[in-house]
Amino acid sequence: DSGVTQTPKHLITATGQRVTLRCSPRSGDLSVYWYQQSLDQGLQFLIQYYNGEERAKGNILERFSAQQFPDLHSELNLSSLELGDSALYFCASSGRGRSGHANSPLHFGNGTRLTVT
Amino acid sequence: GDSVTQMEGPVTLSEEAFLTINCTYTATGYPSLFWYVQYPGEGLQLLLKATKADDKGSNKGFEATYRKETTSFHLEKGSVQVSDSAVYFCALSDYGGSNYKLTFGKGTLLTVNP
């Protein structure tokens, strides 16, 4: 058990809709990272937050947004969903990471599988 | 920019066979290198890491050596088990500008048959 909790485990929705994915990091970790995993694109880094502030941005679409709350949990919002957004979305956390990923290992949750129909 | 290239899978082996999964990288700085493993239905977890040239990371019988001259970090195990069946990701962490960035390879699916 990594200590990172993601909800829901599965999500099925229609094109054009909006969903929110939630992540609770490992106790004490200040950094939260979001990744998208699909068969054709592999594992893509979306965005990182450190102690409530955005620290790094990857290949995140404008239709997607995220935030980290004072209790350090994070939410990833996906809107105007398209079929191509179907993927596994992972959250990871680390203890450090004020300057990004650094050298500390990431602890991954088990992911949210999003299916857009 | 930084990139990681790993051998394409799937890789299928019999139990007790020798495993090598190749990984090469390009980086602008002096990166740290990692292998992560993803078991079915789970998230990724760190398998091993190396932070400087000639370092050898090891864990659970897996090893990888940081080779700066060949920009490689190949994963090896002398005798695989059915329980090693998973997807293996090579990754690098490099500092660029104001942030470190972790870059993953596409992953290699390993299936070990009894």
Side-chain angles (χ1 to χ4, degrees):
Chain A
D1 182 10
S2 68
V4 178
T5 304
Q6 289 188 247
T7 56
K9 288 185 179 179
H10 302 279
L11 202 48
I12 302 174
T13 189
T15 54
Q17 295 298 305
R18 172 190 169 94
V19 297
T20 297
L21 313 183
R22 183 188 167 99
C23 169
S24 294
R26 209 172 55 132
S27 177
D29 283 356
L30 298 178
S31 279
V32 169
Y33 309 78
W34 285 98
Y35 286 85
Q36 180 193 58
Q37 186 180 37
S38 60
L39 280 174
D40 53 345
Q41 296 289 326
L43 199 62
Q44 298 284 318
F45 167 63
L46 296 178
I47 197 164
Q48 180 216 353
Y49 280 82
Y50 174 81
N51 203 20
E53 293 183 3
E54 182 184 306
R55 290 298 302 175
K57 232 173 182 178
N59 301 322
I60 188 166
L61 300 172
E62 286 192 11
R63 300 184 284 109
F64 296 0
S65 65
Q67 53 185 328
Q68 185 180 28
F69 295 87
D71 66 353
L72 300 178
H73 91 271
S74 178
E75 292 181 355
L76 178 67
N77 300 297
L78 315 176
S79 62
S80 302
L81 284 167
E82 302 174 359
L83 295 177
D85 298 327
S86 296
L88 257 176
Y89 290 85
F90 284 106
C91 169
S93 71
S94 73
R96 286 173 278 173
R98 182 176 181 182
S99 298
H101 289 90
N103 290 327
S104 57
L106 301 188
H107 302 271
F108 282 79
N110 286 341
T112 293
R113 182 172 293 282
L114 173 66
T115 303
V116 182
T117 62
Chain B
D2 296 345
S3 67
V4 176
T5 302
Q6 33 181 135
M7 64 187 285
E8 289 193 18
V11 174
T12 303
L13 296 173
S14 298
E15 209 165 21
E16 299 183 2
F18 184 86
L19 168 72
T20 300
I21 300 178
N22 290 337
C23 171
T24 57
Y25 66 90
T26 57
T28 52
Y30 199 172
S32 291
L33 301 175
F34 306 83
W35 278 100
Y36 280 80
V37 59
Q38 184 180 24
Y39 297 104
E42 299 182 9
L44 281 71
Q45 55 185 275
L46 180 67
L47 180 60
L48 53 84
K49 73 174 185 180
T51 58
K52 62 182 187 296
D54 300 325
D55 264 4
K56 178 186 283 188
S58 61
N59 185 25
K60 298 181 181 179
F62 291 90
E63 292 183 339
T65 301
Y66 190 142
R67 301 286 187 202
K68 191 167 184 287
E69 63 277 12
T70 55
T71 61
S72 65
F73 193 55
H74 304 322
L75 182 68
E76 296 182 338
K77 187 173 185 183
S79 176
V80 294
Q81 305 300 311
V82 172
S83 58
D84 294 327
S85 298
V87 181
Y88 292 82
F89 292 88
C90 185
L92 70 84
S93 174
D94 196 12
Y95 192 82
S98 59
N99 265 331
Y100 282 97
K101 182 182 173 185
L102 190 62
T103 303
F104 284 92
K106 288 190 177 293
T108 302
L109 173 63
L110 170 66
T111 301
V112 180
N113 295 318

